[in-house]
């Protein structure tokens, strides 16, 4: 009987446990243990803004039905923290000093919110949004506050802003970049989303970072910006991106850059130790550059492949689209994949906007390398598949811009999608 140990019960850890168990179900015989310092069964992080808004309870976030872990024979140690890895002895140490031995170990430790790094960051009333507990604390604080500042115009910041606005707070989003969602959208797409959010009553300040979270007698008063402007706020949410959680790996002597470094089989530099999800650094399929993973879809894919590799079923990971998303803001659906702006010479950008919808494609050497869709995201999964498969799209630009393309245009690249859903399964799972 082999002993598999997984640290982290998020998207990556869960996908790995299921892949290790495979088709054998409970009869598989292997010992699979999942340790997580969060006390809950797995839940969707992407949906926790719904808890902030007061719209969702924990059950609505749950990724698997009650009794799931037992039904697959998984041992769970929830609410328990791993404090060290002795990779030479194939052993991890828990906070209470207990040792757990493994034949194969997965680091699926995720990421933590990047700190604002300014005075007052520890003030009561200043939050980040990463866990269910964060969401419940913010929801409680929102009961007492009438105005909020959200620092950061990325996915998490904007989802938080919408949630607080739904609770009736006055919300201002402070963004350093020239436009919101700068990783997901170009300037024109971002303007459409910003207008929709402004219509909900959300205010924006661009080109600024906070300089201080001001407090008086232990109470948050507001935010002072770099240019000296002051915003009153009883609540602040910092959404300045995430930092891969690599402490355990680094202290165990495992090779780490911005995230844990893995090879094509998601193996780290320590024998028998694998890594997947937000804690990792991966190669982007379009640019070839290494960057932290930081996406739900990638965490699921890497977790599944890591699990297969741990179980001895060689499954190479070819890298992922580190920019891939579908999301909705203020009733406007948004999807993007690959590059969102051209990167110098040799790229071709084509766009079309009509009736509040915006669609842009980016090509290089006759292949699709990026797509931005706002307002109408039909066929989003097809664009992502074409980018992933490096399909030649030359001559089909009009079809791509009008979303009239189908499997018949790309018989090889789209075979798997023919007749299937417009958005691949992993994208759908993120929100369900
Ligand atoms: C509000 C919000 C909205 C998001 N929206 C989107 C979106 O629209 N699209 C998208 O693609 N992604 C989105 N994401 C990001 C997405 O949720 C993550 O990419 C994904 O959850 C990563 O999964 P993971 O399994 O790698 O890590 P995690 O889900 O972070 O899980 C890691 C787990 O490991 C545990 N852990 C860490 N260290 C230890 C230790 N030492 N001992 C025990 N346990 C430990 C952690 O507590 C955690 O439970 C969003 C995230 C948030 C917070």
């Amino acid at each position: 009987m082999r002993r598999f140990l997984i640290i982290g019960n998020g998207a990556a850890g869960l996908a790995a446990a299921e892949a290790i168990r495979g088709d054998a179900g409970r009869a598989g015989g292997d010992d699979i243990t999942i340790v997580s310092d969060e006390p809950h069964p797995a839940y969707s992080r992407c949906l926790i803004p719904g808890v902030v808004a007061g719209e969702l309870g924990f059950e609505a976030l749950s990724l698997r039905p009650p009794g799931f872990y037992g039904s697959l024979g998984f041992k769970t140690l929830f609410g328990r923290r791993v404090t060290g890895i002795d990779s030479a002895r194939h052993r991890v140490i828990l906070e209470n000093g207990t040792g757990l031995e493994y034949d194969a170990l997965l680091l699926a430790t995720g990421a933590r919110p990047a700190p604002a790094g300014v005075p007052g960051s520890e003030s009561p009333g200043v939050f980040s949004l990463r866990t269910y507990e964060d969401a419940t604390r913010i929801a409680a604080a929102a009961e007492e506050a009438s105005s909020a500042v959200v620092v950061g115009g990325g996915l998490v910041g904007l989802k938080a802003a919408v949630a607080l606005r739904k609770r009736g707070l006055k919300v201002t989003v402070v963004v350093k970049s020239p436009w919101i969602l700068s990783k997901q959208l170009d300037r024109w797409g971002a303007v459409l989303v910003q207008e929709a959010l402004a219509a909900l009553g959300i205010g924006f300040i661009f080109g600024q970072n906070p300089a201080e979270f001001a407090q008086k007698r232990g109470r948050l008063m507001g935010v002072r910006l770099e240019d000296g402007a002051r915003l009153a706020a009883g609540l602040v949410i910092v959404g300045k991106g995430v930092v891969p959680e690599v402490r355990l790996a680094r202290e165990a002597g495992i090779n780490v850059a911005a995230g844990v470094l893995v090879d094509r089989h998601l193996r780290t530099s320590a024998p028998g130790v694998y890594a997947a999800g937000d804690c990792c650094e991966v190669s982007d399929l379009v640019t070839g550059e290494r960057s932290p993973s930081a996406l739900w879809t990638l965490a699921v894919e890497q977790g599944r492949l890591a699990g297969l590799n741990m179980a001895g079923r060689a499954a190479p990971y070819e890298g992922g689209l580190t920019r891939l998303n579908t999301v909705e803001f203020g009733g406007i659906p948004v999807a993007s994949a690959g590059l969102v702006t051209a990167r110098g010479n040799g790229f071709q950008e084509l766009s079309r906007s009509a009736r509040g919808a915006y669609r842009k494609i980016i090509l290089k050497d006759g292949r699709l390398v990026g797509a931005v869709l706002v307002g109408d995201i039909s066929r989003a999964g097809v664009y992502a598949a074409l980018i992933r498969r490096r399909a030649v799209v030359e001559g089909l630009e009009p079809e791509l811009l009008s979303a009239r393309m189908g499997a018949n245009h790309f018989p090889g690249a789209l075979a798997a999608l023919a007749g299937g859903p417009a958005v691949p399964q992993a994208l759908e799972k993120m929100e369900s």
Side-chain angles (χ1 to χ4, degrees):
M1 186 171 72
R2 292 169 298 176
R3 294 158 306 174
F4 295 95
L5 186 56
I6 296 171
I7 310 176
N9 181 39
L14 182 67
E18 290 178 325
I20 295 169
R21 190 55 92 214
D23 301 329
R26 198 182 175 118
D30 290 323
D31 187 302
I32 303 172
T33 304
I34 308 173
V35 192
S36 169
D37 57 3
E38 289 191 76
H40 320 283
Y43 64 92
S44 171
R45 276 185 211 293
C46 306
L47 294 182
I48 58 175
V51 176
V52 174
E55 294 175 341
L56 300 179
F58 188 82
E59 290 69 36
L61 314 182
S62 222
L63 290 175
R64 296 292 180 270
F68 160 79
Y69 294 92
S71 71
L72 286 182
F74 296 150
K75 293 182 186 157
T76 55
L77 292 169
F78 294 163
R80 309 282 290 276
R81 184 163 187 74
V82 176
T83 50
I85 301 169
D86 183 344
S87 61
R89 291 196 178 81
H90 280 224
R91 206 162 174 265
V92 307
I93 318 296
L94 301 182
E95 206 165 23
N96 64 1
T98 310
L100 294 174
E101 290 179 353
Y102 61 82
D103 296 308
L105 170 69
L106 178 70
L107 300 175
T109 48
R112 60 191 142 78
V118 298
S121 294
E122 306 303 321
S123 305
V126 178
F127 299 91
S128 52
L129 179 58
R130 179 75 187 176
T131 64
Y132 174 71
E133 269 67 33
D134 291 337
T136 55
R137 279 192 290 265
I138 293 168
E143 290 285 310
E144 311 293 322
S146 58
S147 58
V149 168
V150 173
V151 179
L155 276 180
V156 172
L158 295 185
K159 286 184 180 188
V162 171
L164 292 172
R165 187 69 200 122
K166 282 183 180 170
R167 299 191 73 109
L169 275 73
K170 176 177 184 287
V171 181
T172 307
V173 182
V174 175
V175 192
K176 185 64 182 172
S177 323
W179 63 86
I180 56 171
L181 295 171
S182 57
K183 288 191 179 145
Q184 286 81 20
L185 294 179
D186 64 358
R187 184 185 286 273
W188 308 115
V191 165
L192 292 178
V193 178
Q194 189 191 327
E195 281 171 358
L197 294 174
L200 296 179
I202 296 172
F204 291 90
I205 294 176
F206 288 95
Q208 288 294 312
N209 260 331
E212 181 191 5
F213 301 125
Q215 52 171 316
K216 200 168 174 185
R217 288 186 222 102
R219 201 184 147 95
L220 181 72
M221 302 307 290
V223 182
R224 179 167 59 81
L225 301 180
E226 288 171 322
D227 66 0
R230 287 174 188 274
L231 304 171
L235 173 59
V236 167
I237 298 183
V238 178
K240 296 285 286 175
V242 293
V243 183
E245 185 55 74
V246 299
R247 191 185 59 82
L248 284 175
R250 181 173 282 131
E251 288 176 1
I254 292 169
N255 290 344
V256 167
V260 180
L261 294 174
V262 288
D263 67 8
R264 274 185 81 222
H265 291 88
L266 296 149
R267 289 178 295 223
T268 70
S269 59
V273 183
Y274 297 73
D278 279 13
C279 65
C280 281
E281 223 181 86
V282 295
S283 290
D284 184 89
L285 276 176
V286 172
T287 63
E289 291 162 7
R290 296 195 71 93
S291 73
S293 190
L295 283 181
W296 182 270
T297 45
L298 292 184
V300 173
E301 185 182 22
Q302 291 160 24
R304 190 179 68 79
L305 294 175
L308 292 176
N309 286 310
M310 290 165 78
R313 285 167 270 163
Y317 179 57
E318 307 299 346
L321 292 179
T322 57
R323 305 281 169 89
L324 173 68
N325 240 304
T326 60
V327 69
E328 195 203 277
F329 286 110
I332 303 226
V334 173
S336 62
L339 299 182
V340 296
T341 48
R343 288 193 166 185
N345 295 335
F347 290 87
Q348 192 188 5
E349 276 195 6
L350 300 165
S351 64
R352 168 179 291 188
S353 36
R355 293 186 294 277
Y358 173 71
R359 195 168 281 251
K360 179 170 94 172
I361 54 172
I362 305 173
L363 287 85
K364 181 149 199 291
D365 303 328
R367 294 170 201 276
L368 189 66
V369 292
V372 174
L373 317 175
V374 180
D376 168 13
I377 64 165
S378 52
R379 320 296 285 159
V382 175
Y383 293 91
L386 291 172
I387 295 170
R388 275 189 83 97
R389 292 166 206 194
R390 301 185 175 90
V392 175
V393 299
E394 209 154 27
L396 290 164
E397 293 87 346
E399 281 77 10
L400 286 167
L401 271 180
S402 59
R404 281 198 316 264
M405 74 288 193
N408 56 319
H409 292 115
F410 312 95
L414 291 183
L417 286 176
V423 179
Q425 232 183 353
L427 275 177
E428 286 177 351
K429 273 191 184 159
M430 188 169 77
E431 303 271 324
S432 62

